[in-house]
Amino acid sequence: MRQGHAERLAELADRYGRMVFATAYRVLGNAEDAEDALQKVFLKLLSKWNGRLKPDAVRDWGAFLRVSASRCALDMLRRKARRKRTTDTLSERVGLAAEENPRHLATRREEARLLREALSALPKRDARIFALRYFEDFPYAEIAEQMNVSVSQVGVILHRARKRLRDILEPVVVPASPGTRLASDAGQESGKENSNV
Amino acid sequence: MSKHRDEKNTGDLGVLAGMVEAVRADAPAESVWWDARRNLMGRLEGSREVSVVTRILRGSRSRRIGWAAALGIVVVVVALLIGLNPWARGPGQAFAAVVEQFRSARTMTCTVITQGEGLPTVRAEVAYKEPGHMRQTTIFPFGRNISVFDTTQMRTLVLIPATRQFMEMDYSELLPDLPANRTAISDIEKLRTLPDRANELLGEREMDGRKVLGFLVTEGGTRVTAWVDAETWDVVRVESEWALAPGMRVVMTDFQFNVDLDDSLFSLTPPEGYTRLEYQMDLSTLNEQDLIRLLRSWAEHDKDRLFPPALDYTSLAKGAVKMGFSAKKTDFSAKEMGFLAKVKEYRAAMKEAEQFGAHMTRGMMFLMLIMKPENDWHYAGEGVQLGEALIPICWWRPDGSDTYRVIYGDLSIEDVAPEDVPSAQERQDAE
């Protein structure tokens, strides 16, 4: 490793490492995996620098690293989901889990887990664009530039991604303000009301 | 793209809105980030140092993880062996201001690099918090291990993130057999027990662009050199060499005092999702069989079935590395091997690595108990092959005993009268 590269990389890690870690954590939902993603992002960058990419080739390091982190984390999420995936459909598995322990699942953290799991079932590019838009607050134009698609394509992909996620998740959740409740929980509560009557 | 359009689409989330909100609100704890950062910086800064070792150890990743476990356990032993070696107080005054920085610190962090001829350079990030809590993240070329020490309970938790496994160690029953002042753990806490006075002033020197003053403290084969900023007297670097680890040097840098360290960093509860290593170390029942297992384990892994040349930490560490090198000979990627056969062999390799680490640890812990002057401990195993029944390889006199315990090359053990243990000349030859 060239000394200049090492120093530059350390500077970037110091400045943007936390952001990369937070981005990866939002997608993966646990610190160990987020740390793996953090290291992968920076070590991959190092190997690129040792290859052809020049350190000064990137205009906006913040955006570049956030996109890299999101991409790396989503790839990890998909791999993890593939390992877990059985013959059951996603909604079947989610539904089963909800029946087993509805109270536990009704937590915010569990809502986040459900969305992450559903996200892993989307096509790669759709998931990346969804995560950049809704987890990272990237504007359409920025997403278009980073993902090398047109702005209108971003809109179409997001529309498709939301629909697909709703299809997966709606069978197990019911809308409730401000958060979301699981269908099994709602059913249980309505059952309780009836018995009281 | 207009702001209006962005907002409109965010609103289209419908049933997903709460879930997106939950993801966005799900942030890692501050302490978790701190740990991840240190690991990353260590990995980046250390990547050049370890590159040679990485090349040597290139082989099956899975296999290396197994040996990382063994090495990690050995690292815990280092910390203990070195840490449990007490300091003696000595004369001198100027050094007191340096030592006071360590003693008065509520928390301390530093980088620790261990170097030795024939050994890979091992880097660790250490955090210490009063009273007696320490977290050491050791970065190997093939992964990292985390050891959390708690001297108030005399317990240690070893985490192996690569395999998501943990091991718990409890020394509380071992403590009554140790001198009362042997409570400092590892390098960093031992700095607090440095004497007030240095044996020698090493003068001024330029180090990393700043002028530093050097102090040397020596005691019982232990040498500690502290370099402090000539103007501010801040500690810049501490170098240590110990009698128990000849040829090894520990360099501590990047000292920070009284930084905020979350208690969760020092928790002895394994993280969620971690499973217990199959082999757990029970340190409450140490006995001479542990020394025998160490000797057997070593000789069986040696290509010539020889016992270790010496029973000190350096030799032990070199042995662990050597076993790591020989491990790569097993080709887990061989295409002709069926998947199940690979899994079976992988599991066997993991178990072997865990057992080797465990044997080294327990054996060294037992040695620590009998290496006192009053036990007249001697080791003469260099060049002796496993099975040579007539050659005594080590002997010592247990506390309160009139006779010696002697272990022979076939690892049999017997009581021997003092007049029958190897003569002074034989001892000299052996040592």
Side-chain angles (χ1 to χ4, degrees), chain B residues 99-134:
Chain B
V99 180
E100 187 53 28
Q101 290 181 51
F102 296 117
R103 290 193 195 148
S104 62
R106 186 176 42 80
T107 66
M108 237 193 293
T109 63
C110 71
T111 300
V112 179
I113 294 176
T114 308
Q115 301 162 321
E117 198 185 329
L119 288 169
T121 297
V122 176
R123 182 192 184 92
E125 299 293 338
V126 179
Y128 171 80
K129 186 172 190 175
E130 282 203 308
H133 302 288
M134 195 185 78

Side-chain angles (χ1 to χ4, degrees), chain A residues 1 3 14 17-18 25-26 31-33 35 39 43 108-109 116 133-134 137 140 151 162 166, chain B residues 1 6 9-10 12 21-24 26 30 32-33 37 39 43-44 47-48 144 164 274:
Chain A
M1 175 168 59
Q3 192 57 29
D14 199 33
R18 189 185 191 120
Y25 188 94
R26 274 192 285 279
E32 288 289 345
D33 289 343
E35 189 177 334
Q39 296 211 359
L43 291 176
R108 301 274 288 162
R109 198 165 165 75
R116 288 180 184 119
R133 177 71 194 105
Y134 296 114
D137 271 337
Y140 278 38
V151 171
R162 288 192 300 267
R166 275 197 295 265
Chain B
M1 183 46 47
D6 283 348
N9 278 280
T10 311
D12 279 353
E21 203 182 297
V23 168
R24 290 163 66 118
D26 188 12
E30 183 72 16
V32 173
W33 156 242
R37 184 191 179 280
N39 291 336
R43 187 107 190 251
L44 295 179
S47 55
R48 188 170 45 171
R144 66 195 165 87
R164 299 197 175 216
Y274 273 63

Side-chain angles (χ1 to χ4, degrees), chain B residues 406 408 416-423 426:
Chain B
V406 178
Y408 296 88
V416 173
E419 57 273 21
D420 293 330
V421 295
S423 66
E426 286 171 321

Side-chain angles (χ1 to χ4, degrees), chain A residues 11-12 21 30 36 46 52 59-60 79 88 94 107 122 132 142 161 167 173 177 183 188:
Chain A
E11 271 172 34
L12 286 174
F21 183 66
N30 78 74
D36 282 350
L46 181 65
R52 286 182 182 175
R59 187 175 46 83
D60 181 350
R79 274 197 294 277
D88 298 337
V94 170
T107 62
L122 293 190
L132 288 177
E142 183 74 27
D167 288 346
V173 296
S177 184
Q188 203 174 55

